[in-house]
Amino acid sequence: MRHHLPHYHAYARIAHSKIHGVGVKAIRPIKKGTYMFAGDTVPVIWINKASVKNLPRHLTRLYKDFAISKKGKYGCPPSFNLLTPAWYLNCSKRANVACDANYEFYALRDIKKGEELTIDYDTYSDKE
């Protein structure tokens, strides 16, 4: 079995964003159709929104800022300490990234090195 160094499937990193403080930028060119977060195997768990409604504001912000909103539930990692770059994608109506039914992200078009990766939240998450 051939082993690769940790950077082998890394296409992007967390970086400063002109859109919203922190985002994700390409560290090398990404071809259309490429799944850019290979190896990100942290599962999405689903929490009823009602169960976090009365938490302190700083905790509910985690759900509003990072979770997927779907049919009265939040989809998030089992611990917010497990946030990976995929959770930092900013929203754009001219997105260059989409996700499949398993919430795995792929390039909608060729993406240049240094370009911010964006996704249209409305394509996979209910509006808050």
Side-chain angles (χ1 to χ4, degrees):
M1 172 186 246
R2 184 174 177 191
H3 295 285
H4 298 285
L5 294 173
H7 71 272
Y8 185 71
H9 285 290
Y11 292 94
R13 65 169 291 154
I14 296 171
H16 173 75
S17 167
K18 292 180 181 174
I19 297 170
H20 187 272
V22 176
V24 181
K25 289 194 178 173
I27 59 171
R28 59 178 159 181
I30 304 170
K31 291 282 186 201
K32 179 180 178 177
T34 300
Y35 281 82
M36 70 269 311
F37 300 115
D40 181 355
T41 58
V42 175
V44 172
I45 63 167
W46 295 92
I47 311 285
N48 284 322
K49 287 184 177 183
S51 65
V52 300
K53 187 172 92 174
N54 294 320
L55 291 175
R57 179 176 160 76
H58 68 282
L59 296 177
T60 57
R61 266 318 317 151
L62 287 170
Y63 293 91
K64 291 186 184 296
D65 288 347
F66 293 105
I68 301 161
S69 178
K70 212 47 145 173
K71 298 177 183 173
K73 293 186 177 192
Y74 285 122
C76 55
S79 168
F80 284 110
N81 290 331
L82 298 173
L83 290 172
T84 61
W87 292 97
Y88 286 87
L89 293 170
N90 282 319
C91 186
S92 173
K93 294 300 178 191
R94 298 179 66 204
N96 53 17
V97 173
C99 73
D100 63 20
N102 295 316
Y103 301 102
E104 293 182 26
F105 301 96
Y106 60 92
L108 284 172
R109 60 170 174 76
D110 289 348
I111 299 171
K112 296 176 184 171
K113 178 181 177 182
E115 190 176 343
E116 182 166 358
L117 305 183
T118 59
I119 191 161
D120 182 352
Y121 293 165
D122 293 340
T123 63
Y124 68 98
S125 186
D126 297 340
K127 291 186 180 189
E128 279 286 305

